Amino acid sequence: MSNSETGTHVSYLEHEGKYKGLLGWLLTTDHKKIGLLYLYCIIVFFFVAAILGILMRVELIAPGQTIMGAQTYNGMFTIHGIIMIFVIVIPALPAIFGNFFLPIMIGAKDVAFPKLNLFSFYLFLIGAIFGVLSQFIGGGAPDTGWTFYVPYSSQSSTNVIYALIAAFILGFSSILTGLNFIVTMHRMRAPGMGWFRMPLFPWSLYATAWIQVLATPIVGITLLMVIAERVLKIGFFDPALGGDPVLFQHLFWIYSHPAVYIMILPGMGIVTEIFPTFSQKPIFGYTAILFSSLAIAFVGYFVWGHHMYTAGISTGSRWFFSFLTFLVAVPSAIKVFNWVSTLYGGSIEMRPPLLYAISFIFLFMIGGFTGLTLGSVATDIQVHDTAFVVAHFHYIIFGGMGFAFFAGMHYWFPKIFGRMYNDKLAYIGWGFLFTGFNVLYFPQFIIGLQGMPRRYFDYLPQFQTGQVISTIGGFILFTGLIIMVGNLVYHAKRGAIAPANPWKGVTLEWQIPSPPSHENFDEIPEINHAPYFFGNTSENK
Amino acid sequence: MSTHSIHSEQIESETGKLGMWIFLLTELFLFGGLFLVYAVFRAQYSEAFHAGAEELNAFIGTLNTVFLLVSSMTVAMAITAIQKDKKNLAIFLILVTLILAGLFMMNKYFEWSHKFEFKLYPGSEVLKNLPRGELLFFGLYFMMTGLHAIHVLIGMTLLAINIFKIKNGEVSSKHYLHLENTGLYWHLVDLIWIFLFPLLYLIT
Amino acid sequence: MKNGDTHISSFTSHAIVLIVLLALTFLSVSVTGYQLGAFSVTIALAIASVKVATVILNFMHVKHESLFIKLMISGVFILYALVIIITFIDYQLR
Amino acid sequence: MFSGASNLAEGVDKAFLFIFTIAAIFIIGITAFMIWTVIHFSRKKGKAPMQFTGNVIAEIIWTGVPLVIVMVMFYFGWHGFAPMRNVPADAMKITAIGRMWQWEFDYGNGMKSKDLVLPVNKAVRLDLKSEDVNHSLFIPAFRVKEDVIPGYSNYMWFIPTIVGDYEILCTEYCGLLHSSMLAKARIKEQADYDKWFADFKSEAVKPEPDGYLLIRNTGCIACHSIDGTKLVGPSFTGLYGSSRVVVKNGSEVTVIADENYIKNSILNPDLEIVTGFNKGLMKSYQEILKEADIKTIADYLKTLNEGK
Ligand code: HEA
Ligand code: HEA
Ligand code: CUA
Ligand SMILES: [Cu+2]
């Protein structure tokens, strides 16, 4: 199967299509190049949103006004939230790694609809630019929070409409990506690759894609309704126009809770790839992991009400949503146990990807268990809309999905760029990141429990110690990110040439040269065994 | 894409159709959000929704339903025609569909402008002073039929494109995925109207 | 997916479907004449659902599609029904 | 954290304690296990990896055990929450009003207080009303929080058990000064409470001028004080008739604050910006205040000067 020996190999990076140079990139329909386009854009937008995060931390170092006014601060957490959620974490893993590796891992030459893929990239870009622009034009940065709760969002005189449109367009782009992936997985698997021979990263994308396709339209129409409410004064949610504000929250969370699983499922898929490779043994409980992904996707659809425990919904629904929220934790638990069991009995090589994957489990557990604290009605009453929630989702998004992203980046870097990064720098970067992360967000749990609300520009003096520690952590984290990103960026062009299979992986992407050729495979492979088969096949060179 | 055997044609069309179906499901959910809002408000203000529905002209609504149903059939027939390689018949059937769609839009136009004459448009003083339930009813009416009308327009554009594609041979008895998908889209427009019609015009 | 040749529906079958649909429409319109109170919603929606199913199965060819497409479409309708019911129950219990 | 001061605190704290204990056990246990495997099965030791692919019994155990655990968690959560929605019939009734960006507690008969003053060990029910956007009434020490949503009748209840002053915060984002929407819950012995209530009653009968009610209920006093302090906007005291330095179309001009000026400031606030203040903060009240209301406000602002 391996064809790296043939001297005529041209990597996709050097492949010349119809167009040359920059245009060749901008008009490409190669899923790998589109994946990279997403990667570069997302890094830029992450930088913007992360800087806003750090500025907020500086503002919060002392009570009262420190470096900005209340209006600026409110705009900042809104834009920070919107960019992070809609521009970064929802698209990131499917659009970067999904685009790049999904076709390769199922033995296809491209996704089902390559042009649609490019189109959805441009939608993404337009939406993202709209989001950033809303910060600067006209009436000032939107100040509603990323949740756009009505009636405030239908009254605020800031650029709420731009932000709504941005979120709408980004949602559309996300739907098209999901649609593309579902069809790809249904129609383009290599011969012999039955559903149960598909690796687990594609499986996690499959579950994700269904959520993208079936939940996103709801938020789309909801945002349209808010726009109609603002522009045409049609009453839906604003009580001044006869509407019902709690109905907005229902509709918003019908999408946005499933959306949190859009964020985490692909991340889980990535670490599921990493554990078998670095312990050189099959994944423990393939079917259990697969079905737990589908279960999370399905049950996750019905728990949205846990964001509304205090919104005056009926006692019966609080009961119901709390119950289902707890149920949804069980498939996550199954996954965690299967991952750590994969390590057991392996031949474990500690390399940066594995280190990130293990940190993922640690941080995800903290995020997950605090999620359970929030899922329990009694305790949520106390910590709802406090710094505790802020800590929960930073742990689970940044610590979970974020660290999974870093893990994937270090795992697939040699395949994407055909170069190796420096391991030592990667460890140092990890050290700063991991320490900084915990110093930054752990204190938020404590002050949250003591009653520090979120979206607070100003706060009571008793919370200052926690806030100061947090801010210090922010800067440690900052250092770590710079080291990590620096390491990767520098070595993408200048690192040592990477072999085709540096980690001795067995999934298809490791059977082709690094970087892959434009067509991925010279001939479409035939699959005749389960995906994580570490038997003595010839590929394990 | 390059090998034009019957077999790859078949695969491509299955792929395209699957994609279209998934897209249609997202469209259903898009309207689904509105139906959800409708359901909640309707349960709370059933009297007012009744009163609102009385104000709408059920005759025009029925007429429009008939237009859309017939047009749905003509599109379906157009596909049969192209499958049987009867190009002119297919073009004719699509034209009939377009005419029916045009009649539907014309009716909509008169219906809306009639409302506007009575100062019943979003944000108007008259509307604002209506009881809360009726205000919501008319809000939903404009939003739902408006969004639906946009879909009708998109569908009409797609149909018109198909006429040209049939003429220059891009759509033929071998290769009619484009027409098939347009047909699916047009049926979706019909499906949504089938729900809208009783909810807005009939329920008493 | 189903291999082999695609099914071609006949013109007459389309015409029959249309007649059924029109009949259902007139049934639905004439039923509104009677004051059925709470039932009117149920009946109107039931008729609409039958019509929708007819369109999906015949005009949209789902009768002849693969099992997966059938399951997918019915699954989505069930999912949507569950979402509506859950939201609805919240309002009813308040 | 564990310093509850109401009857509801115990149930909530128990649920916290249970979840945190379980969490600590699992997080420490699993992390320790991972570290152990990484060391024990290190590739450097050169052992061949075992090639097993799963174990159904293990799978069942770690589906079943978490399921049982989360159900117990659910039970504790439910148990702590259930009393929160069962208001005793004899609870004392107070209406809590949230508006941008202050709380007000209506004891009935026009007695409105900025702080929530309550007798200890007596059940109280707060009916929550919002006059503009969503707010949320949060008293951390009592473990209570409910959203205050316009057009909705939400409520909360509790029995304060310890005398003292407690923070009341707003935890639903409500705009610019969300973070300063604070108040105090003052829990007093019954005797002290009765005394406070008597004083309060005699104070409260003084009628408020219409103009004051207007600017209070529209939310102006969130940004404009009537005692001379500078908040987000300039204070109303001494405003009427004084000469103002404003930036108009980019250049500074001096104008006299007459009735017209005030009307203009309310309807088109961004046209003339008072030096030292920011544009874009105050929104136009075109849709909200009627011509007559503005006249009333202007008249009231006039009276603010006469006191000086
Ligand atoms: C990636 C995103 C992500 C993920 C995966 C999750 C996962 C979970 N979330 Fe989180 N959540 C958010 C992102 C996410 N969340 C965001 C962004 C918000 C805030 C939104 C806003 O208001 O702005 C939020 C808010 C939020 C709330 C509302 C808080 C409030 O506003 O009051 C709740 C309440 O129930 C909740 C619960 C949960 C639960 C129970 C899980 C579960 O899925 C977690 C499951 C994981 C585990 C349980 C740990 C691993 C398991 C083991 C180690 C095995 C042992 C386990 C057992 C014995 C049970 N989340
Ligand atoms: C992916 C999701 C994500 C991520 C990664 C982050 C990252 C960070 N967030 Fe996040 N945050 C949210 C999602 C996220 N946030 C959301 C959804 C909200 C809610 C918004 C709302 O309430 O509506 C929120 C709210 C929120 C608040 C609460 C505001 C409030 O309620 O008052 C705070 C406060 O401290 C905060 C801080 C931070 C900080 C310091 C980081 C840091 O971790 C950032 C670290 C990064 C850096 C410091 C930059 C370093 C990197 C570089 C310099 C790049 C190098 C160069 C290249 C890449 C080329 N965030
Ligand atoms: Cu009131 Cu926040
Ligand atoms: Cu959630």
Side-chain angles (χ1 to χ4, degrees), chain A residues 143 285 310 348 384-385 456, chain D residues 41 43 53 145 147 170-171 173:
Chain A
D143 60 345
T310 65
I348 299 172
H384 168 72
D385 262 353
Y456 259 34
Chain D
F41 294 105
R43 191 167 297 174
T53 55
K145 174 187 293 143
D147 289 5
C170 174
T171 46
Y173 176 68

Side-chain angles (χ1 to χ4, degrees), chain B residues 82-101:
Chain B
I82 202 85
Q83 282 171 328
K84 295 187 174 169
D85 213 5
K86 296 179 181 160
K87 280 194 175 189
N88 288 337
L89 181 61
I91 292 182
F92 171 73
L93 286 167
I94 295 178
L95 278 176
V96 175
T97 315
L98 278 175
I99 292 171
L100 288 166

Side-chain angles (χ1 to χ4, degrees), chain A residues 85 146-147 253 257 259-261 263-264 306-307 309 325-326 328-330 332-334 336-337 364-365 367-372 374-376 380 383-385 389 392-393 396-397 401 454-455, chain D residues 22 26-27 30 65-66 69-70 73:
Chain A
I85 297 279
W146 80 279
T147 49
W253 292 114
H257 182 79
V260 309
Y261 295 117
M263 308 169 197
I264 201 71
H306 67 209
H307 296 270
Y309 287 151
T325 302
F326 279 113
V328 115
V330 176
S332 301
I334 296 174
V336 170
F337 290 124
F364 176 71
M365 282 195 295
F369 274 108
T370 51
L372 294 178
L374 297 168
S376 145
D380 184 65
V383 288
H384 168 72
D385 262 353
V389 177
H392 157 69
F393 66 71
I396 213 160
I397 302 187
M401 176 271 169
R454 66 191 278 206
R455 297 171 174 173
Chain D
I22 297 284
F26 272 92
I27 293 172
I30 291 176
V65 171
I69 294 178
V70 293
M73 287 181 183

Side-chain angles (χ1 to χ4, degrees), chain B residues 57-181:
Chain B
N57 189 331
F59 177 70
I60 295 195
T62 315
L63 203 60
N64 264 346
T65 312
V66 173
F67 287 156
L68 278 191
L69 287 177
V70 177
S71 75
S72 239
M73 181 194 67
T74 50
V75 166
M77 283 182 166
I79 295 171
T80 306
I82 202 85
Q83 282 171 328
K84 295 187 174 169
D85 213 5
K86 296 179 181 160
K87 280 194 175 189
N88 288 337
L89 181 61
I91 292 182
F92 171 73
L93 286 167
I94 295 178
L95 278 176
V96 175
T97 315
L98 278 175
I99 292 171
L100 288 166
L103 287 173
F104 176 92
M105 288 306 289
M106 215 169 74
N107 254 339
K108 246 315 49 94
Y109 171 78
F110 284 125
E111 199 184 0
W112 274 40
S113 44
H114 184 71
K115 295 265 142 13
F116 283 21
E117 258 168 50
F118 286 95
K119 298 254 170 354
L120 271 176
Y121 51 83
S124 74
E125 281 304 314
V126 180
L127 203 58
K128 267 192 201 154
N129 293 328
L130 285 177
R132 188 165 172 194
E134 280 186 54
L135 174 63
L136 292 172
F137 177 83
F138 281 107
L140 278 166
Y141 164 78
F142 282 113
M143 188 79 182
M144 287 173 139
T145 55
L147 196 62
H148 180 258
I150 293 178
H151 281 76
V152 173
L153 290 179
I154 296 175
M156 287 170 77
T157 320
L158 292 176
L159 284 168
I161 293 176
N162 266 289
I163 295 186
F164 291 105
K165 291 214 164 179
I166 293 177
K167 278 203 173 134
N168 68 17
E170 271 179 66
V171 171
S172 67
S173 63
K174 297 243 166 47
H175 195 126
Y176 49 84
L177 174 66
H178 195 264
L179 181 59
E180 235 181 337
N181 277 349

Side-chain angles (χ1 to χ4, degrees), chain A residues 1 13 29 39 151 178 203 241 279 295 384 392 424 428 467 507:
Chain A
M1 235 183 274
L13 291 166
T29 51
L39 174 65
W203 260 114
L241 297 167
S279 40
H384 168 72
H392 157 69
K424 202 179 250 159
I428 297 174
Q467 297 281 23
T507 36

Side-chain angles (χ1 to χ4, degrees), chain A residues 217-265:
Chain A
I218 304 255
V219 81
I221 190 69
T222 311
L223 300 177
L224 278 188
M225 282 191 260
V226 178
I227 293 176
E229 189 156 56
R230 282 185 67 107
V231 178
L232 304 171
K233 302 271 175 262
I234 302 183
F236 294 110
F237 308 125
D238 186 349
L241 297 167
D244 178 345
V246 176
L247 189 55
F248 172 84
Q249 301 183 16
H250 271 300
L251 283 161
F252 184 82
W253 292 114
I254 288 176
Y255 164 72
S256 294
H257 182 79
V260 309
Y261 295 117
I262 299 180
M263 308 169 197
I264 201 71
L265 279 172

